[in-house]
Amino acid sequence: MNYLAHIYLSGKNRQIQIGNFVGDAVKGKAYNSYPDFFREGILLHRLIDSFADTHPAVKEAVSLGKPLFGRYSAAVTDIFFDHFLALGFPQYTGQKLTPYAHRFYIALIVNYRYLPPRFQHFIWHFILTDRLGRYASRQGIKQSLDIMTRYRKIAINPPVSAQDLFTITRYKGMDPEVYTSYDGLDYGAYPIPRTITFGAKIRF
């Protein structure tokens, strides 16, 4: 499940909602450094993920997406679950999505100091683009998938080559690679340049 489902399953306490919202960014026992309700939300996030990841229906949905999305199938499935929840939000919750999302955004701003650094970096974009509300539209889902693609890990292999960095020799005569006249003097010819070449192989 993605953000909207985690928030809704947290009940009405805003701090529990926010703890659940940021749960992925709090690893190991780091939850112990948060106030009580935030800690409760973080632990609830883990329980929800554990339940969902082992549910037969979720496993089936992820397996259906694997031929197209590969190892990202689980993340894409989470986003689609939020899409369906957003589409039927009044039916499932008895509330309208827009005011629900706006109240949560206000709670995020009020509790900004408790957000993990990763969330502090993107939370303003999250609020200003109304990510929760946009889960209900196809364009919003596309934007969410684009964001996920942009922030996925990229493997980089940087090859480096160098030429004529230095020469080790006892030879006192002219440099055989420098243009000279027949008498062995270079007459101001340019020396062989030192060359360093960097490259990058980027694999998505």
Side-chain angles (χ1 to χ4, degrees):
M1 297 189 180
N2 213 51
Y3 295 131
L4 182 59
H6 274 287
I7 294 165
Y8 178 67
L9 292 175
S10 299
K12 296 182 179 180
N13 185 294
R14 296 297 180 196
Q15 292 185 341
I16 294 177
Q17 289 179 348
I18 293 171
N20 202 339
F21 174 70
V22 304
D24 276 336
V26 183
K27 307 300 183 184
K29 293 186 177 181
Y31 65 87
N32 285 320
S33 62
Y34 286 82
D36 290 345
F37 286 126
F38 290 99
R39 185 163 61 244
E40 185 176 336
I42 294 166
L43 294 176
L44 178 59
H45 180 105
R46 297 179 184 182
L47 287 174
I48 292 171
D49 276 357
S50 177
F51 175 82
D53 291 345
T54 56
H55 195 285
V58 176
K59 287 184 174 181
E60 182 181 4
V62 172
S63 66
L64 289 173
K66 279 199 171 177
L68 184 60
F69 303 114
R71 63 191 175 118
Y72 298 104
S73 180
V76 172
T77 301
D78 285 347
I79 291 175
F80 281 130
F81 283 164
D82 264 16
H83 172 60
F84 295 126
L85 174 59
L87 278 177
F89 201 76
Q91 174 187 348
Y92 296 128
T93 71
Q95 305 177 66
K96 292 183 178 180
L97 178 57
T98 297
Y100 181 88
H102 289 178
R103 287 192 292 269
F104 181 72
Y105 297 150
I106 293 170
L108 285 176
I109 295 170
V110 171
N111 293 279
Y112 179 84
R113 67 187 183 279
Y114 295 114
L115 301 179
R118 169 185 151 191
F119 278 76
Q120 288 181 346
H121 291 157
F122 80 79
I123 202 64
W124 297 111
H125 178 270
F126 184 89
I127 292 172
L128 293 174
T129 58
D130 186 23
R131 297 311 324 154
L132 295 179
R134 291 197 180 189
Y135 278 133
S137 69
R138 280 194 237 179
Q139 181 62 24
I141 291 300
K142 181 181 181 302
Q143 290 170 347
S144 294
L145 293 173
D146 287 343
I147 292 171
M148 184 187 75
T149 302
R150 205 158 43 235
Y151 285 95
R152 69 185 178 182
K153 293 182 180 178
I154 299 174
I156 300 179
N157 257 335
V160 180
S161 64
Q163 181 178 347
D164 290 304
L165 291 181
F166 53 86
T167 302
I168 301 175
T169 180
R170 292 184 179 181
Y171 179 62
K172 301 299 183 182
M174 65 179 184
D175 185 342
E177 292 185 313
V178 175
Y179 173 79
T180 66
S181 64
Y182 67 90
D183 58 7
L185 300 177
D186 64 21
Y187 293 103
Y190 286 106
I192 300 298
R194 296 175 181 176
T195 304
I196 302 175
T197 304
F198 293 91
K201 180 180 180 182
I202 302 177
R203 183 175 67 255
F204 293 90

